[in-house]
Amino acid sequence: MEKRVRVRFAPSPTGGLHMGGVRTALFNYLFAKRHGGDFILRIEDTDQTRFVEGAEEYIVNALKWCGISPNEGVGFGDGPHKPYRQSERKELGIYKKYADKLIASGHAYYAFDSNEELEEMRKRMEAAKVVAPQYNNVTRQNMRNSLTLPEDEVKRLLDANTPHVIRLKVPRNEEIRFEDIIRGWVIVNSNQIDDKVLLKSDGMPTYHLAHIVDDIEMQISHAVRGEEWLPSAPAHVLIYRYLGLEAEMPKLAHLPLILNPDGNGKISKREARFPVFPLSWKDPREAEPFIGYKESGYYPEAFVNILALLGWNPGDNKEIMSLTEMASLFDFDRVNKAGAKFDPDKAKWFNQQYLRMQSDESLASEFKLVLESKGIKRDNEFILQFCKLVKEKVQFTKEFWNEGVYVFEAPVSFDEKVMTKKWNPTNKELFTKVYQRFKNLDIWTAVVLHDDFTVAQTELGKIDMQMLRVIISGVAGGPQLFDLLALIGKEETIKRMDHFLQTH
Ligand code: GLU
């Protein structure tokens, strides 16, 4: 029988969760939803030296903002496998049992080497021109461990609580194979693999041991994670095998990298000219804060949609999709091996599509807040009409202001090009007449203005529409002119024309 689908997102709280991490969470979530399974959030905090204050809270908040909620795990409610924080699980003695089992079966060993001894080994290797010095099935023979020391000496060291780690005993020259759902068969010779530390001297398990124990205990069916974990996967296969758990090992899926817009290398938070974090993030150890997608004005639905297409192709040129729709289509056979280039302009385009999907009412209430922050009060109907008018021109709500600031404030400067080219005494005379006509209008709507203008053209000759726009708004382009005049209102339009004619 197929295992129930249970997947996990297992970040380490070592910093703000960046977009690559959110994409991993998203693919896990979509896969779980697609198969009616469970999605778990586990916090892998066994490396105390890399722990960053606030990172866990950030991860939880980021997932909440994105709407990709786990159904079990830290910040989302306990399930049958609590606790979901590895540091708490360690206190329950969960990991040590497994390390001891590997020792008992001869697949792991104690290593007593001090940092200085490890450093010396590294230097010796480097002097011998070894490219990547490792503690492995060759070098371990010259180190201080339970494979080289006499049995009674090992016992004495252990009894005296001498600091030590437990390492995986990787066999010599064996072929290790496993099937990755995205990459197919991966075959690696065991000589490439180092004797990974499983349990550290502080009693904490390393990632390698801890995630395996938890994946087994939490009955995880698929381990879906970033490509950077692919090189350690062969060692993980050995650990499952030596624990007698290979049959229960989750299926592996290593997701492609997210690359810079130019395709060379991973996105770097310092170099990127676009947000890298879902929410703004400030690492307490660093000076520089990073602005998030949320704070840059992205809709969470747009952000998630952008991420989904980084490495996944749903087919049929589909682009705009809700989470529910994505979940109904998602599968790994359409996830690429190759890195996915991130296109910041396309990201903005996505936001624009989602903005256009918002109701005018909801755009108006978003923009009302922007106006309020500038101390501008207008009635809701006015704001609604304004949003309708400029909605097609913007990608973000915050751009409403720049796009139509002249609706709220009379212009103080006038497009120079248009002025030089078009403003002259003949035009002044003409617009003075237009001004008089406008003043006499009783009804002020776009339709009436349009009709009046048509009549005026036959009576007065060609009237330059762009010039009129510049007089009213200061700028050479914008939304439909009569709609704009209707919104600005008769009183304000007349006032602006009057002022312009007096001063030019
Ligand atoms: N704690 C690992 C990380 O931070 C999880 C890797 C995995 O999913 O197995 O990425």
Side-chain angles (χ1 to χ4, degrees):
M1 204 181 79
E2 279 281 304
K3 249 196 204 173
R4 175 177 173 77
V5 167
R6 280 177 61 78
V7 291
R8 82 301 190 275
F9 177 51
S12 298
T14 53
L17 183 65
H18 54 76
M19 50 198 285
V22 183
R23 201 244 351 225
T24 301
L26 174 65
F27 283 16
N28 273 287
Y29 171 90
L30 294 176
F31 188 67
K33 291 285 166 223
R34 169 78 199 262
H35 296 280
D38 305 316
F39 171 46
I40 293 148
L41 175 63
R42 183 170 76 218
I43 297 290
E44 302 205 327
D45 59 347
T46 57
D47 191 349
Q48 309 272 292
T49 58
R50 295 182 63 220
F51 179 83
V52 170
E53 198 64 46
E56 181 185 299
E57 205 189 348
Y58 180 92
I59 292 166
V60 171
N61 290 338
L63 294 183
K64 284 188 177 158
W65 180 67
C66 293
I68 42 185
S69 301
N71 37 357
E72 279 172 43
V74 175
F76 292 90
D78 282 338
H81 300 283
K82 68 175 184 189
Y84 292 89
R85 225 178 254 113
Q86 285 184 333
S87 56
E88 289 171 37
R89 299 175 66 73
K90 182 246 168 192
E91 294 306 312
L92 303 175
I94 293 176
Y95 307 109
K96 184 152 185 319
K97 291 196 299 255
Y98 287 82
D100 289 344
K101 196 170 165 200
L102 289 170
I103 290 268
S105 63
H107 291 297
Y109 60 93
Y110 301 108
F112 300 95
D113 317 276
S114 65
N115 285 341
E116 292 72 34
E117 285 165 331
L118 291 170
E119 185 57 18
E120 258 173 45
M121 183 259 270
R122 204 179 55 79
K123 283 194 183 135
R124 270 201 315 274
M125 297 275 101
E126 273 171 5
K129 302 263 180 287
V130 174
V131 189
Q134 285 186 329
Y135 201 116
N136 60 17
N137 55 36
V138 176
T139 54
R140 71 183 175 219
Q141 292 166 29
N142 298 315
M143 303 302 287
R144 288 196 330 121
N145 53 53
S146 56
L147 303 174
T148 58
L149 298 170
E151 214 172 298
D152 54 347
E153 170 72 354
V154 172
K155 188 169 180 319
R156 193 189 60 75
L157 289 168
L158 289 177
D159 288 346
N161 280 329
T162 315
H164 65 274
V165 299
I166 293 182
R167 286 184 182 267
L168 177 67
K169 189 178 165 200
V170 176
R172 211 167 152 62
N173 206 19
E174 253 182 41
E175 193 176 88
I176 305 165
R177 354 167 100 231
F178 61 92
E179 195 176 5
D180 182 282
I181 305 176
I182 297 170
R183 284 145 213 277
W185 282 98
V186 179
I187 304 167
V188 180
N189 185 289
S190 63
N191 290 352
Q192 312 286 320
I193 304 168
D194 62 324
D195 285 0
K196 298 213 177 304
V197 173
L198 303 175
L199 209 70
K200 291 180 280 188
S201 54
D202 61 3
M204 275 287 189
T206 57
Y207 156 72
H208 304 294
L209 177 67
H211 92 277
I212 286 176
V213 170
D214 287 342
D215 282 355
I216 285 293
E217 299 224 340
M218 295 181 178
Q219 293 163 9
I220 298 301
S221 61
H222 298 75
V224 180
R225 61 188 167 207
E227 185 180 275
E228 65 274 23
W229 297 106
L230 190 58
S232 344
H236 301 160
V237 173
L238 289 180
I239 301 174
Y240 280 107
R241 182 175 303 162
Y242 297 154
L243 286 169
L245 293 168
E246 209 172 348
E248 279 129 272
M249 176 174 149
K251 295 201 166 92
L252 300 180
H254 290 92
L255 304 177
L257 289 176
I258 301 182
L259 303 174
N260 272 323
D262 60 11
N264 66 10
K266 267 167 68 165
I267 287 174
S268 132
K269 65 177 180 189
R270 267 172 244 287
E271 280 154 36
R273 296 215 184 88
F274 47 85
V276 165
F277 293 101
L279 313 176
S280 288
W281 166 249
K282 161 93 179 59
D283 190 313
R285 301 161 308 174
E286 294 170 6
E288 197 185 345
F290 293 93
I291 185 155
Y293 278 87
K294 178 181 179 206
E295 294 77 5
S296 305
Y298 280 83
Y299 291 105
E301 296 82 0
F303 175 61
V304 165
N305 199 155
I306 296 159
L307 290 184
L309 296 173
L310 290 173
W312 174 50
N313 169 8
D316 297 333
N317 294 325
K318 256 194 165 315
E319 286 194 308
I320 303 293
M321 288 170 288
S322 67
L323 263 182
T324 320
E325 191 176 4
M326 289 180 215
S328 72
L329 297 169
F330 187 81
D331 232 325
F332 286 113
D333 50 8
R334 283 184 164 276
V335 173
N336 301 324
K337 285 199 263 289
K341 263 194 245 172
F342 176 68
D343 178 351
D345 292 328
K346 187 77 193 225
K348 290 181 188 161
W349 176 87
F350 268 102
N351 205 62
Q352 182 172 32
Q353 307 312 305
Y354 278 86
L355 188 145
R356 289 179 181 172
M357 282 187 250
Q358 309 297 313
S359 69
D360 295 329
E361 288 71 18
S362 113
L363 289 175
S365 55
E366 278 182 62
F367 185 57
K368 193 175 176 185
L369 299 177
V370 178
L371 287 177
E372 276 168 9
S373 73
K374 296 185 184 295
I376 296 176
K377 276 219 153 24
R378 284 300 164 98
D379 63 53
N380 289 348
E381 185 53 28
F382 184 89
I383 301 174
L384 186 76
Q385 293 309 326
F386 171 77
C387 289
K388 271 191 189 165
L389 211 57
V390 293
K391 165 175 177 180
E392 292 303 314
K393 306 247 171 229
V394 301
Q395 293 181 307
F396 296 91
T397 332
K398 62 181 178 197
E399 292 171 354
F400 275 117
W401 174 253
N402 280 345
E403 196 58 43
V405 53
Y406 51 76
V407 170
F408 301 93
E409 293 170 352
V412 286
S413 64
F414 301 88
D415 187 276
E416 266 177 46
K417 265 200 199 140
V418 176
M419 289 299 288
T420 320
K421 212 168 129 200
K422 298 183 174 168
W423 191 242
N424 53 39
T426 324
N427 250 342
K428 180 160 181 165
E429 206 177 301
L430 193 67
F431 277 103
T432 310
K433 288 181 186 150
V434 175
Y435 164 72
Q436 288 303 340
R437 290 183 75 101
F438 278 0
K439 253 177 114 171
N440 292 334
L441 283 179
D442 292 331
I443 304 172
W444 189 266
T445 63
V447 177
V448 170
L449 285 164
H450 174 266
D451 291 350
D452 186 64
F453 213 74
T454 317
V455 177
Q457 302 243 43
T458 56
E459 289 174 13
L460 307 171
K462 184 164 164 36
I463 305 166
D464 193 299
M465 297 277 269
Q466 194 183 32
M467 192 61 237
L468 178 59
R469 182 188 291 281
V470 170
I471 295 173
I472 305 301
S473 71
V475 294
Q480 222 291 325
L481 185 59
F482 296 118
D483 289 334
L484 182 66
L485 297 184
L487 179 65
I488 291 179
K490 180 175 173 183
E491 195 188 323
E492 179 67 15
T493 305
I494 297 294
K495 205 165 110 192
R496 289 186 188 186
M497 283 187 93
D498 184 30
H499 181 255
F500 182 88
L501 292 167
Q502 305 271 352
T503 49
H504 289 85

